[in-house]
Amino acid sequence: MIQFALKRIWQSIPVILGVIIITFVLMYIIPGDPVISMVGERFDESRIEELRNELHLNEPLWKQFLVYMGNVIQGDFGRSFITDRPVMEDLLDKLPNTAMLAAAAMFFAVLIGVGIGIISSLRPNTILDRGIMIFALAGISTPVFWLGLMLALFFGVYLQWLPPTGFGGLEYLILPAITLGLRSAAYLARITRASMLDVLNKDYIRTARSKRLPEWKVVLKHALPNAFIPVITVIGTDFGSYLSGAVLTESIFGWPGIGRFALDAILKRDFPVIQGTVLFMAIVFICANLVVDILYGVIDPRIRAERSNHAN
Amino acid sequence: MKNIILKQFKIILLTAVFIFVTDCGKRDRNPDVLRFAMSADIRGFDPAFATDIRTGKMMTLVYDNLVQFGDNTEVIPGIAYKWNLDETGKIYTFYLEPSAAFHEGSKVTAGDVIFSFQRVLSPEIGSPQSWLFNKIDGAEAYMKGAETFVRGLTKINDSTLVITLNEPFAPFIQYLAMPSASIVNAKHEDSIKEIPAGSGPWILDNWQRDAAISFRKNDNYWGRKPKTEQLSFRILSESLSRMGEFEAGNLDIVDIPDIELTRWKNQKHWDGSVVGKDELNIWYIGMNCSRPPFNDRRLRLAMSLAIDREKILSILLSESGTLAEGPVPPQLMQSLQNDPIPFDPEEAMRLLKSSGYEHGIQTELWVAGGSEMFHVLEAFQYYWSAVGISVTIMRSDWNVFKTAVREGKPDLYYLDWFADYPDGENFLYPLFHSKESMTKRNRYSNPAVDRNIETIQRLRNGKERNDLIKETHRLIKDDAPWVFLWHGRTHTAVHPWIEGYKPKLIFNAERYLEMHHMPL
């Protein structure tokens, strides 16, 4: 397992390098000037040029890239052009907020999505099943922006059960977590149902039932672990994308996370923040996928065995 | 037995969840805290980098200036309780309030003022606001590193300061009331980006980046003390989220977006809660005067005549402004009759024909992507197409848009201008003097306008200066380098439990000294 993990980490280095190069080049291709966001309306034109020199923006691209790479290797993502704060410090400030939101959204998605997916698979082609699948379809199709505003309006403004927006205790987490997690919940419901229906028709399930095992034991112990591989894939990729920031949800609910931080930096052409955030997101995404790959082996011994054979 | 326990457990759990959820939204209003929202975070607490309105507003709370803006256009005492200007119009003498003290207790002295102003000019700091002080004698030499201090800043004693300018410059006294002219405590300069080092009526309590900023009252403030204990500013980027929070009673005051205004005005529930607020600004369409087709004045005038601005303002913008005659808002020009360019499509077509464009023109109108005024731009498109001017709307993000405008790329662009200080000069020099317009804006140049503006900058406030502002305003109106649209009026919703709210004409006149909750 450790060998496998190390191999995957090694393989991810070219990916990270690719991400850095592409981001770096893209930022110099897109129109716009970071100095414009820094100087306000009355700045002297001659000072703009001075500022560009101070920020090394007039140096050749390869030179800027080498300096940046040197700093990144030492864990220095640079300082924001706008706030002059270290990018890494800001990212680490915001990571717990994003992680909290991502974890809550994923908890909601797994609880609801896997739960109703199992129920649906146990009552296929009934009204309950169809109702759940309509809910799932609606969940996948509902735009996050609309859903977030409606939840805030209904539960926050009209019913006043929860704070409409903001950041703080557990009560602030509920609406953004539902907004962010609903699409995953809907998708998980569909995947779980399909996967469970496939497994529930297998011989070993029939055998378990013929041995008069309680139905919950058949479902949870024998069927669900075998149906879980595709579910884990969805959980892993969605969780990775949540961790790299949920721009819309964070904007609607005023959540100070990485997504909003990145968006703001893009709009202001704050190059060090954009580069730092993208790199950070890539690393998070790679780590999430690595965890998923390891979990495959934990859940399914056949995959574990296959990997050992390959290794030998 | 097991089933009964499980059932009871489920009921208790559900009840607990219900109580938790229904209780979460109910938060008692704390009468000691005034609650506001902002659309984005500030850059920091260093006045030298206060280039945007949000950051400037926060500076006003925690710092003091030599002078400050009153409710309207007047300059009132700040740290300087009096000042005078000599006959040459170049030498100011300021007398500082002896009781003025920084938050940590030390006195504010003339030396602190000199330190603060030199700091903004210092090449090591690299402030984008150095233009505020570059008229001070010796400032240029100091900025170039030729001198180690600014000659024109002289400390007579701890409470008397003399500022010498290298030429008479009337707006200078207003510059001193701007956020970047805040007086900084030299002892705490190192941490100034994160923690303000000022003497203002409010002290920073907590700053959670991208989430909230809160302040507590400075109990030892030397001037008029705030009537409330705390201020809280939440950062909510979405205007609908801000409105939702206000409706839920979690904010005390909120600015109403134009698209929401009709709903708010029509709801009886909010009668008396919506307050209109005049602001010193102008919305306009800039036309590139340096190249065809808009180097022809007749065509520029036709662009204005073709649009029924009155109708657009009334229907699409719920009367949230007054039609602009020219660049300077009426509040800054005493007794000027507002005479905007009329809606006259026939005259517009005649002008098109006389300028050789009888078959119409095709052009592009650039707009920053975040604009909420897209429906208004489509109305312009409609009116222009009716006289044969085909306009494509080009949306781009703010940075690309501003870069393009500075480089003089767009033929047409839609933009606004908000006053830095309440003076007609602020709507003339930065926008229409060729030195500025030819490098940053729509490439307009008129030597007569340049001369007038330079004279306005030298003249002392009075009738002669005011008349010259009016004359320059008319010259620019006749040249029609812009389509002058309107001077905006923002609307604010204020909960009935708030007392003492009085709209201010300029953003950094608001220090929240009078505003407070009514007793519960």
Side-chain angles (χ1 to χ4, degrees):
Chain A
M1 189 67 79
I2 293 167
Q3 218 178 358
F4 170 73
L6 287 174
K7 195 176 160 195
R8 287 301 308 270
I9 291 167
W10 177 248
Q11 283 170 346
S12 62
I13 289 171
V15 178
I16 291 172
L17 201 63
V19 167
I20 295 172
I21 293 168
I22 290 168
T23 322
F24 212 88
V25 172
L26 273 181
M27 271 188 305
Y28 286 84
I29 291 172
I30 57 168
D33 184 352
V35 176
I36 293 290
S37 302
M38 301 167 68
V39 296
E41 291 285 343
R42 302 284 298 265
F43 203 57
D44 196 345
E45 280 295 309
S46 61
R47 297 295 305 271
I48 285 195
E49 205 48 37
E50 281 174 30
L51 199 56
R52 222 173 257 135
N53 286 334
E54 278 169 34
L55 298 170
H56 308 287
L57 292 170
N58 285 337
E59 284 179 15
L61 186 60
W62 64 266
K63 207 170 174 185
Q64 290 183 51
F65 181 73
L66 286 182
V67 172
Y68 180 70
M69 279 306 291
N71 291 336
V72 166
I73 289 166
Q74 294 169 58
D76 178 7
F77 282 19
R79 297 178 90 91
S80 161
F81 284 169
I82 307 292
T83 63
D84 198 36
R85 278 170 56 80
V87 175
M88 184 59 105
E89 208 173 287
D90 272 339
L91 282 170
L92 293 176
D93 261 3
K94 284 161 178 46
L95 180 65
N97 306 338
T98 295
M100 198 199 308
L101 179 60
M106 201 32 82
F107 175 74
F108 167 80
V110 172
L111 193 74
I112 301 296
V114 175
I116 62 174
I118 293 171
I119 294 169
S120 193
S121 67
L122 295 174
R123 303 275 183 279
N125 303 320
T126 60
I127 291 177
L128 181 70
D129 177 35
R130 296 222 167 96
I132 287 172
M133 284 306 106
I134 288 170
F135 162 79
L137 191 65
I140 289 169
S141 324
T142 307
V144 168
F145 196 77
W146 181 86
L147 177 70
L149 285 175
M150 288 304 115
L151 289 177
L153 199 65
F154 191 70
F155 292 105
V157 178
Y158 295 142
L159 297 177
Q160 301 206 0
W161 284 6
L162 292 161
T165 65
F167 175 72
L170 187 61
E171 70 267 31
Y172 289 92
L173 193 57
I174 297 172
L175 294 182
I178 294 173
T179 306
L180 187 60
L182 187 73
R183 186 179 289 238
S184 294
Y187 197 51
L188 281 175
R190 290 172 70 93
I191 297 274
T192 308
R193 177 185 180 272
S195 196
M196 282 290 285
L197 280 177
D198 185 40
V199 171
L200 285 170
N201 286 327
K202 299 274 186 208
D203 288 345
Y204 56 87
I205 296 294
R206 206 170 299 133
T207 310
R209 278 181 176 146
S210 68
K211 286 162 78 180
R212 291 184 174 270
L213 283 177
E215 186 62 15
W216 67 266
K217 216 170 189 175
V218 173
V219 172
L220 296 182
K221 202 173 169 191
H222 294 277
L224 194 59
N226 289 297
F228 226 59
I229 289 289
V231 176
I232 285 284
T233 311
V234 174
I235 292 173
T237 38
D238 280 8
F239 192 61
S241 69
Y242 292 171
L243 275 178
S244 29
V247 177
L248 289 177
T249 310
E250 287 178 0
S251 298
I252 296 165
F253 292 99
W255 196 266
I258 288 174
R260 247 175 83 191
F261 183 55
L263 178 70
D264 204 33
I266 292 166
L267 293 177
K268 288 177 181 156
R269 299 292 186 276
D270 194 345
F271 287 175
V273 176
I274 302 171
Q275 281 158 343
T277 316
V278 172
L279 181 58
F280 190 78
M281 286 173 175
I283 293 169
V284 165
F285 213 86
I286 286 166
C287 290
N289 276 312
L290 182 66
V291 171
V292 169
D293 281 351
I294 292 169
L295 278 178
Y296 283 163
V298 174
I299 292 168
D300 193 339
R302 288 171 300 181
I303 295 176
R304 210 157 51 216
E306 201 176 309
R307 278 178 193 157
S308 314
N309 290 342
H310 278 292
N312 296 331
Chain B
M1 186 64 182
K2 196 179 162 189
N3 275 350
I4 293 168
I5 291 168
L6 206 67
K7 215 171 198 176
Q8 280 181 346
F9 175 74
K10 278 179 190 166
I11 290 167
I12 291 166
L13 188 72
L14 279 174
T15 314
V17 168
F18 182 75
I19 290 169
F20 170 76
V21 165
T22 53
D23 199 44
C24 281
K26 292 173 188 159
R27 275 154 296 156
D28 291 331
R29 171 165 62 88
N30 180 349
D32 290 333
V33 186
L34 287 173
R35 301 158 306 164
F36 308 89
M38 297 193 293
S39 59
D41 208 345
I42 62 169
R43 288 180 69 155
F45 283 99
D46 187 345
F49 293 89
T51 52
D52 60 290
I53 289 180
R54 274 188 308 276
T55 306
K57 277 183 175 176
M58 297 298 112
M59 297 298 148
T60 309
L61 305 179
V62 289
Y63 290 98
D64 279 314
N65 291 49
L66 281 177
V67 293
Q68 53 191 335
F69 296 125
D71 288 351
N72 295 302
T73 59
E74 69 279 13
V75 174
I76 59 172
I79 291 269
Y81 64 88
K82 70 170 186 178
W83 63 92
N84 55 52
L85 178 61
D86 80 337
E87 283 169 7
T88 65
K90 295 200 286 189
I91 303 174
Y92 282 92
T93 307
F94 292 92
Y95 301 93
L96 309 194
E97 173 62 47
S99 60
F102 288 114
H103 292 157
E104 44 91 28
S106 61
K107 295 258 183 230
V108 181
T109 65
D112 293 310
V113 180
I114 293 173
F115 168 78
S116 307
F117 293 178
Q118 281 193 166
R119 197 174 167 271
V120 175
L121 289 167
S122 159
E124 279 165 30
I125 298 288
S127 165
Q129 297 293 88
S130 55
W131 58 273
L132 281 179
F133 301 120
N134 63 8
K135 292 277 193 298
I136 297 176
D137 188 30
E140 293 290 342
Y142 177 74
M143 285 163 77
K144 285 176 186 153
E147 286 181 15
T148 54
F149 62 94
V150 180
R151 272 195 316 272
L153 293 169
T154 317
K155 175 184 163 182
I156 305 298
N157 55 43
D158 271 359
S159 56
T160 313
L161 169 79
V162 171
I163 300 179
T164 308
L165 306 182
N166 46 28
E167 58 183 357
F169 188 65
F172 184 72
I173 191 71
Q174 311 208 43
Y175 280 16
L176 296 179
M178 288 177 60
S180 291
S182 299
I183 297 160
V184 167
N185 186 347
K187 281 179 231 158
H188 297 283
E189 192 207 359
D190 292 348
S191 53
I192 201 170
K193 285 193 170 87
E194 312 284 322
I195 306 161
S199 58
W202 298 97
I203 296 173
L204 178 70
D205 219 8
N206 185 33
W207 180 18
Q208 197 174 13
R209 270 173 203 78
D210 289 329
I213 309 175
S214 60
F215 301 92
R216 66 176 191 279
K217 181 164 90 174
N218 177 4
D219 287 320
N220 301 316
Y221 189 52
W222 58 274
R224 195 153 45 101
K225 290 186 180 66
K227 286 186 177 170
T228 197
E229 295 298 317
Q230 287 175 53
L231 298 178
S232 153
F233 293 85
R234 287 174 56 196
I235 293 143
L236 298 169
S237 53
E238 287 305 315
S239 61
L240 288 178
S241 303
R242 295 195 290 274
M243 299 312 292
E245 285 289 354
F246 178 82
E247 288 191 58
N250 300 330
L251 294 176
D252 294 318
I253 291 183
V254 73
D255 285 336
I256 304 172
D258 288 335
I259 45 166
E260 282 273 297
L261 190 57
T262 311
R263 178 172 82 86
W264 279 74
K265 277 185 173 171
N266 293 341
Q267 274 187 359
K268 280 203 170 152
H269 179 64
W270 296 110
D271 264 359
S273 296
V274 178
V275 182
K277 182 170 69 169
D278 283 320
E279 284 188 332
L280 297 176
N281 58 37
I282 182 163
W283 266 260
Y284 65 91
I285 292 162
M287 294 174 271
N288 193 319
C289 302
S290 67
R291 59 167 187 251
F294 295 109
N295 57 352
D296 189 326
R297 179 189 164 273
R298 289 165 297 181
L299 184 60
R300 298 200 298 264
L301 198 57
M303 293 293 285
S304 295
L305 290 162
I307 303 174
D308 190 349
R309 291 170 299 150
E310 200 167 356
K311 201 170 188 177
I312 294 172
L313 191 59
S314 148
I315 295 173
L316 297 181
L317 295 172
S318 313
E319 305 279 1
S320 57
T322 49
L323 282 190
E325 181 205 63
V328 184
Q331 296 94 330
L332 298 179
M333 288 189 299
Q334 292 144 24
S335 67
L336 183 91
Q337 200 184 353
N338 198 26
D339 183 22
I341 293 171
F343 170 53
D344 191 344
E346 275 130 41
E347 177 65 6
M349 281 195 272
R350 195 191 65 75
L351 285 171
L352 268 171
K353 199 173 171 188
S354 69
S355 54
Y357 293 105
E358 64 269 31
H359 301 300
I361 57 165
Q362 284 197 329
T363 186
E364 289 173 349
L365 171 66
W366 283 55
V367 55
S371 171
E372 289 176 346
M373 306 290 252
F374 205 66
H375 58 308
V376 174
L377 301 179
E378 285 182 330
F380 294 159
Q381 237 180 347
Y382 161 77
Y383 281 115
W384 283 325
S385 72
V387 297
I389 302 167
S390 169
V391 174
T392 308
I393 296 174
M394 303 288 290
R395 289 186 96 165
S396 57
D397 72 48
W398 176 250
N399 192 292
V400 174
F401 172 79
K402 279 297 284 180
T403 308
V405 169
R406 276 187 107 97
E407 289 169 358
K409 275 185 191 160
D411 279 344
L412 299 172
Y413 61 89
Y414 172 76
L415 193 53
D416 55 48
W417 173 261
F418 280 69
D420 299 307
Y421 46 91
D423 184 14
E425 187 269 351
N426 193 217
F427 284 81
L428 297 175
Y429 179 78
L431 305 169
F432 298 104
H433 193 283
S434 57
K435 210 175 149 190
E436 293 284 307
S437 180
M438 292 303 283
T439 53
K440 297 178 189 169
R441 302 183 195 283
N442 61 321
R443 276 58 184 170
Y444 166 72
S445 174
N446 178 340
V449 167
D450 285 356
R451 272 195 307 275
N452 277 5
I453 293 174
E454 286 156 17
T455 310
I456 288 165
Q457 290 187 324
R458 280 196 303 271
L459 284 175
R460 288 187 189 219
N461 283 335
K463 188 175 180 308
E464 191 189 349
R465 186 172 191 264
N466 198 47
D467 286 347
L468 199 55
I469 290 176
K470 285 181 201 168
E471 189 194 313
T472 315
H473 171 91
R474 285 202 189 97
L475 272 176
I476 294 168
K477 178 191 168 189
D478 290 345
D479 276 347
W482 291 358
V483 176
F484 300 101
L485 295 171
W486 37 74
H487 303 292
R489 185 175 165 79
T490 56
H491 289 81
T492 304
V494 186
H495 275 301
W497 57 69
I498 294 297
E499 272 185 342
Y501 172 67
K502 195 175 173 194
K504 308 284 190 287
L505 204 54
I506 192 103
F507 71 94
N508 61 329
E510 183 58 87
R511 304 187 95 191
Y512 304 107
L513 301 179
E514 292 299 320
M515 215 185 300
H516 61 279
H517 284 240
M518 282 166 76
L520 284 171

